[in-house]
Amino acid sequence: NAGVTQTPKFQVLKTGQSMTLQCAQDMNHEYMSWYRQDPGMGLRLIHYSVGAGITDQGEVPNGYNVSRSTTEDFPLRLLSAAPSQTSVYFCASSTGSGYGYTFGSGTRLTVV
Amino acid sequence: AQTVTQSQPEMSVQEAETVTLSCTYDTSENNYYLFWYKQPPSRQMILVIRQEAYKQQNATENRFSVNFQKAAKSFSLKISDSQLGDTAMYFCAFRPIQGAQKLVFGQGTRLTINP
């Protein structure tokens, strides 16, 4: 049981480049979310999904795009990377039963 | 919208001491879940303890326990007999039962256990 798998673990981008952070879970969880973690600010919600085909914006969605074509996968796309998007990104998934979310191991992204 | 506040950016205690981390939250919901997550230097987010708002009894997991005060909207974490491996960032989080059930985090408390 792999849980939540995020790739890559580290990435360096140049300003203006685009990329996709991959997230996959094998627990048949309907709820999935993307967070970014910055010092002193905790984890802030970027986008979330309550099931395949359903996504919505979180607290800090600008510059990011998501889709959820299957229950398992929830990729996060950076459209045109900016230095302000330098952060650690976490993908998480959960059932709807009130249990905590299970997190991936995170991606450290640096935009230069 | 729900908000979660952790007022202690950093704390430091000696090994074997007891430490309490504070968390307050704001919500108009009556039923919800509260969590404490631990993030060691490995960066992995680890669920420490979970509390259901409709249960008055405080949750306990081995050396970890909570003091849940629903009326005061307070949810503190007590770590007893602290160990060096408890050194980590600790995040308080709120999840409503209704709707999209988004998890909302506090800013975190950096806890250092000194030998």
Side-chain angles (χ1 to χ4, degrees), chain B residues 54-65:
Chain B
Y54 54 88
K55 288 190 177 178
Q56 292 186 342
Q57 184 174 4
N58 290 325
T60 300
E61 290 287 345
N62 300 315
R63 297 182 296 107
F64 298 87
S65 61

Side-chain angles (χ1 to χ4, degrees), chain A residues 4-102:
Chain A
V4 179
T5 302
Q6 272 186 253
T7 55
K9 292 193 183 322
F10 301 93
Q11 183 71 48
V12 178
L13 286 180
K14 293 183 179 179
T15 297
Q17 286 185 319
S18 62
M19 79 160 295
T20 299
L21 305 184
Q22 301 292 344
C23 176
Q25 53 93 6
D26 61 358
M27 298 172 285
N28 201 33
H29 286 170
E30 58 265 46
Y31 295 84
M32 296 188 76
S33 298
W34 275 103
Y35 291 88
R36 60 177 289 172
Q37 182 180 12
D38 302 292
M41 304 189 75
L43 281 79
R44 293 181 294 168
L45 184 64
I46 305 171
H47 284 285
Y48 65 96
S49 170
V50 299
I54 305 170
T55 64
D56 205 347
Q57 296 180 352
E59 181 184 358
V60 288
N62 292 341
Y64 308 95
N65 209 348
V66 293
S67 60
R68 183 110 179 259
S69 57
T70 67
T71 299
E72 294 77 18
D73 299 301
F74 191 43
L76 178 72
R77 298 180 187 85
L78 279 71
L79 307 174
S80 177
S84 61
Q85 294 178 304
T86 293
S87 188
V88 177
Y89 292 84
F90 286 96
C91 179
S93 73
S94 177
T95 67
S97 59
Y99 287 92
Y101 277 68
T102 301

Side-chain angles (χ1 to χ4, degrees), chain B residues 24-98:
Chain B
T24 58
Y25 58 94
D26 188 23
T27 183
S28 57
E29 306 273 345
N30 189 47
N31 289 322
Y32 46 86
Y33 297 93
L34 295 163
F35 306 90
W36 279 97
Y37 279 87
K38 171 184 177 181
Q39 186 183 44
S42 66
R43 199 171 72 196
Q44 185 66 43
M45 293 289 288
I46 302 165
L47 179 61
V48 174
I49 200 164
R50 165 181 176 265
Q51 175 76 43
E52 299 163 9
Y54 54 88
K55 288 190 177 178
Q56 292 186 342
Q57 184 174 4
N58 290 325
T60 300
E61 290 287 345
N62 300 315
R63 297 182 296 107
F64 298 87
S65 61
V66 299
N67 183 2
F68 172 50
Q69 302 290 328
K70 190 174 182 180
K73 295 180 182 174
S74 171
F75 183 60
S76 61
L77 175 69
K78 185 172 83 171
I79 306 174
S80 303
D81 185 25
S82 57
Q83 302 175 357
L84 297 179
D86 295 333
T87 292
M89 283 289 291
Y90 286 82
F91 292 97
C92 179
F94 172 99
R95 180 179 187 180
I97 288 179
Q98 301 296 330

